[in-house]
Structure formats: C-alpha cells, structure tokens
Amino acid sequence: MPLGKGASRHTVGGSRRGTITHLLALSLGISLGSFISNLGGPLGLSGYFGSPREAGEGSGTGGTPNPARSGAERGGHFDARQDDAPGTYAEWISRVMPPSLAPVYVAPGALPFNLTMSILRRTRPVVGSTDRVRGFLTKLKKGQCTTSLMLGGSVTAGHNGGGPSNAYPKLFVDYLNARFPCTGADGGSGEHVYKTTNAGNSMSHATSFSSVSNLDRIDLILVEFNVNDHFMPGKDVPHALEDKGPWSDTLEYRSLWYSEMLLRKLLLLRKPDYPAIVVFNADYIGRIWAGNPWSDPKIARRDLFRYNQEPLKLWLSFLYDIPVFSASLFHLALASKLGTDVQFNFNETRDGHNPYGTNIWHADACCHPKADGHRVLALVLVYNFADELWRMDHDGSVGHEDRMEGDFTIDPRRPRLRDPVYMSPDEDGLYVRDSSDGVTIDLTDPNGEDAWRSKVV
C-alpha cells in the first residue's frame, strides 16, 4: 500500500461521518438504551452521557460544567480526569467516546460480539515503560496535532474488511480528532493524521528503514506484525555477521532477529522527539485452528508457535520494556473455550455455538477481521490509551517509580539501549548505529549493501 495519510478534521458538532446534534444524540441515547444495557449495565440518559455530574464535560452535550474537573471548557481540549473509574462497559464507552462517534460502536450489530471491561482489561499483556506513551498523551491533552505511523500488513490495510477507510488506523485517528481537537500550524483548527508504509513485516521494515526515517514527524508508532512475520521470506538470517547455530534456519529465530533490529531502530528514532512505541497484536492466523481442510490437527500442534508468534514477541517486548496491546490473546482464549470443533463454528451443534468463534469476526480462515472486527481493534486502542490517561491523573504511583524503571532510551543527551538479545554487537553496530543519526542505513540501497554484504558469514 503506498505511503499515505488518513485523517478526519475535527469540526464543531462532529466528525466526517456527519454532524450529530444534541437532539440526535439525546434520541440515540434513548433508542440504544436497551441495547447497551446488555453490554454491562443500565443506560438511561445519564448512562449514555455519563453521570449527572459529568453532563456537558468534553462531549458538547450541554449542562453546567464542574470548574474543578472540566477540561473541554478550558481551551477546547479534553481533560481525562474523573473521580472514579467506570464499572461497566456501558459506563466506560459513555465517558470516553464522543457522541458523534458513539453510533459507530454502540448501534445494534456494530460489534461482532459482546465486549466487557473484563475483556478489555486482558488486552494489555505487557505494560512496559509508560514514559513514551504518556509523552504522546500529554501532546493530546495540550491540543497538539499528532502523526501516527502504522507499521503493519494486510490487517492494518483493512484487507477483506472494507479497505483503509474501514480499518482500525482510520477509526483510531477519527477518535483522536473527535476527542482531542488540535491546533494547526497556522493557529486554526488542525488534525491528527496517520501514515502507513508499503513494507509488510519486520524484516522488510528493518531492511528498508528509509520508509520510516524519511518521514518528517512521528508521534506514535504501532507495530502490527503478529500475522505477517509468519510469512517472512528466505532461510536462515541473511544479514547475520556470525554463525547463529542450529536454530538460525527456523522462522522463529529469523523473525526475532529482524524484530529486534526494527525495535532498536525505532527506539533511537527522533521525529523530531522520541515517539511512543506500542506493539499491537491485532489478529492471529486462524486457519491453524480451523481443522481440515485448512489445517491438519497434528501439524497444528507441532507448528503452533510458527503460526502464532505472539508468545515469542511478548518475550522481546518484555525485555525492551515496550507496551503491548493485543486483540488476539483474549479472543483466541474465548474462541477455543468450547473446543476446537467449534473454534470457527463450522461444526456447531445446538449447544456448541461459540459467540466468540473466529469466523464471527474473521472474513476468511486466515487472519483478516471484518469491518465490525476493526471496530473492536479500534476500541482496544482507545481503551488502553484512555486507561493510561486516567492513570496519569489518578494513580498515586505515577511519578514515584524507581529510577531503573525509567526509559533510558529517551535521554536527550545519551539515549541508552539495552544490550541486544539476538543480534551480535557487530550486527548492532552496523545495522542499527552505523549512520549519521544511528537509524537510517537502508540495506536495500545498492550503495549501502556493500557495507554489509562482504561481512555476512
């Protein structure tokens, strides 16, 4: 997919989907009340807009603002502070989702399955260092316009889900524009935007890093390769400068090696300051669970890690202290809970239908969410960023972490990376650090290839 951007400019009264007036939002809250009550709690008017004390705060719904808590009335920017955390999904969605976007997520049939707060809590398997994420959130709170870079493959592109206009990157940035209006360079209304690249996995991004380093500004990077790194081409590690031993010819080792190279490059990136980095596991390869004719159960058991790389990548994210948001972990657990015979509901019986079956949100047996599945992915992102924003204002431990918990890679004078795990010091020196800014070597450049080709073992 060519380099491009997607955005929706924030306008008074709504987003690109159209202006939603106070009257329409009010009638929507009434008409959808019974539906949302099934999602976790009763929804009267106060449930849709928040409790009475919150009416009018950050949503354009009118009411008398609370000067101690209202942020929407101060400079027009959202203030996430709340007195208490929501107890149900209905309460949560009413607080974080602007009324202009609420129909996208709460209308009957908007989501492929029921979401609860318990499910959403399962979507951050690695908390990681929060310094970078909180830096991004601080920009949003200040009304600064941001650029998000979505590194991913066909899932990120919305393949079989309606294309980029229906995919989670566009939905997430629509949310940013509706919830966090920003000021443009000319002092007028600005917009949050996202960009994508035309590389498809960790290897192609690490070895063609100019597609990232040539961008002028990056505030957030989502790395979505849980599916595509399975399709990494080649054999062994073609850029290795040492003998990697008997495991080097496995897809798992090759994937981890290039993933580490990519993460190290991203951690040193400054565009113009350090970006937030989140590994986003948006989906998994479902066909291994589908049984014949898609997959032989014996082969599936033998090659499970080969098809689902998330366990391996979690290890790498832990070591580099990078947050991980995952839509695949909770769903895979729920989809297989009634047995693999109904993992896809292909062989369902009266008592065997699984409301979280893989084909409920997959458009095919592989790995591509339907349009409503992309709404779930967007909600996973919204939940985790909103949760971190809430903690910035309420968690008493914030600001009191041990010094060793901090992110040493963001030091403005001497950013420090941990020692590499799979890369050798020589490989790290050549592929990660050996350029003017430490990150711009392009291994596909014929002139740059001479720098490493003669050194490959």
Side-chain angles (χ1 to χ4, degrees):
M1 185 168 62
L3 182 66
K5 74 175 183 178
S8 62
R9 183 178 299 276
H10 176 84
T11 58
V12 176
S15 67
R16 275 172 124 183
R17 297 181 180 276
T19 300
I20 297 183
T21 64
H22 297 180
L23 179 60
L24 179 56
L26 181 64
S27 63
L28 182 65
I30 297 173
S31 63
L32 297 182
S34 60
F35 168 72
I36 297 296
S37 66
N38 293 329
L39 295 181
L43 183 70
L45 296 183
S46 63
Y48 183 75
F49 297 125
S51 63
R53 66 184 175 184
E54 295 171 321
E57 293 187 30
S59 300
T61 57
T64 303
N66 182 337
R69 299 176 61 246
S70 175
E73 293 79 9
R74 296 197 300 270
H77 302 304
F78 171 63
D79 186 344
R81 289 178 295 178
Q82 300 168 354
D83 288 341
D84 56 287
T88 67
Y89 173 78
E91 293 170 346
W92 172 77
I93 199 73
S94 72
R95 296 185 184 189
V96 302
M97 192 61 64
S100 60
L101 295 182
V104 180
Y105 298 98
V106 303
L111 303 180
F113 43 71
N114 190 33
L115 273 183
T116 66
M117 296 307 293
S118 175
I119 287 176
L120 289 172
R121 286 181 61 195
R122 304 181 197 187
T123 61
R124 190 169 178 178
V126 179
V127 174
S129 173
T130 57
D131 292 341
R132 289 172 177 261
V133 169
R134 290 175 181 170
F136 174 70
L137 293 173
T138 298
K139 294 177 182 179
L140 296 180
K141 293 179 68 176
K142 290 182 177 179
Q144 299 178 17
C145 296
T146 62
T147 297
S148 298
L149 177 61
M150 312 296 188
L151 301 183
S154 55
V155 174
T156 294
H159 180 67
N160 281 350
S165 63
N166 292 312
Y168 76 83
K170 172 69 163 53
L171 298 177
F172 177 63
V173 173
D174 282 347
Y175 168 78
L176 294 183
N177 278 306
R179 196 56 157 156
F180 302 95
C182 63
T183 302
D186 60 357
S189 177
E191 63 183 4
H192 302 284
V193 300
Y194 78 88
K195 297 180 181 294
T196 59
T197 66
N198 58 3
N201 55 45
S202 296
M203 179 181 183
S204 57
H205 276 91
T207 57
S208 303
F209 199 68
S210 59
S211 63
V212 175
S213 61
N214 286 344
L215 299 177
D216 294 330
R217 180 186 181 94
I218 307 173
D219 301 288
L220 168 67
I221 301 175
L222 296 182
V223 184
E224 186 272 306
F225 292 133
N226 192 46
V227 170
N228 276 38
D229 276 0
H230 161 70
F231 301 102
M232 193 174 290
K235 186 179 181 181
D236 298 321
V237 180
H239 295 96
L241 304 182
E242 65 178 4
D243 182 359
K244 295 297 184 181
W247 293 102
S248 64
D249 64 345
T250 64
L251 173 62
E252 290 86 348
Y253 192 97
R254 184 163 65 254
S255 174
L256 286 165
W257 193 89
Y258 285 105
S259 294
E260 182 174 38
M261 184 203 294
L262 176 61
L263 291 179
R264 293 178 71 82
K265 286 174 173 286
L266 294 177
L267 288 168
L268 290 178
L269 195 67
R270 301 294 185 268
K271 290 292 180 175
D273 56 359
Y274 59 85
I277 302 173
V278 173
V279 172
F280 183 39
N281 296 324
D283 208 348
Y284 59 91
I285 298 178
R287 70 166 66 99
I288 191 172
W289 299 96
N292 292 319
W294 289 273
S295 176
D296 180 272
K298 182 177 180 180
I299 296 177
R301 291 191 294 271
R302 186 188 69 191
D303 292 347
L304 178 58
F305 276 120
R306 188 176 298 267
Y307 278 85
N308 183 11
Q309 298 204 351
E310 188 160 11
L312 296 173
K313 298 302 177 62
L314 288 178
W315 156 256
L316 201 59
S317 297
F318 268 118
L319 291 178
Y320 279 91
D321 226 7
I322 294 176
V324 177
F325 303 163
S326 175
S328 58
L329 285 177
F330 86 82
H331 187 263
L332 185 56
L334 294 177
S336 59
K337 207 162 191 176
L338 296 180
T340 54
D341 285 345
V342 291
Q343 169 81 27
F344 271 78
N345 290 324
F346 292 150
N347 303 311
E348 64 182 76
T349 64
R350 184 182 64 180
D351 300 323
H353 177 79
N354 187 340
Y356 294 92
T358 301
N359 64 326
I360 298 296
W361 78 321
H362 270 193
D364 51 51
C366 175
C367 45
H368 299 110
K370 303 173 184 176
D372 55 4
H374 277 276
R375 297 181 198 119
V376 173
L377 302 185
L379 286 172
V380 169
L381 294 175
V382 169
Y383 169 80
N384 283 287
F385 281 111
D387 178 71
E388 195 61 48
L389 192 57
W390 185 89
R391 292 180 184 279
M392 288 172 64
D393 290 322
H394 286 79
D395 190 340
S397 67
V398 173
H400 298 281
E401 297 89 350
D402 186 86
R403 185 185 70 86
M404 291 301 292
E405 295 182 74
D407 188 343
F408 292 176
T409 68
I410 65 176
D411 188 299
R413 292 177 297 179
R414 188 172 178 264
R416 180 169 182 171
L417 280 173
R418 62 156 293 124
D419 289 342
V421 182
Y422 297 95
M423 302 182 71
S424 70
D426 288 341
E427 292 163 350
D428 183 57
L430 177 62
Y431 297 134
V432 177
R433 303 176 186 271
D434 188 17
S435 61
S436 59
D437 63 2
V439 294
T440 58
I441 184 171
D442 187 342
L443 303 183
T444 62
D445 183 346
N447 296 322
E449 185 173 334
D450 294 338
W452 59 268
R453 176 64 70 180
S454 61
K455 300 181 181 180
V456 172
V457 176

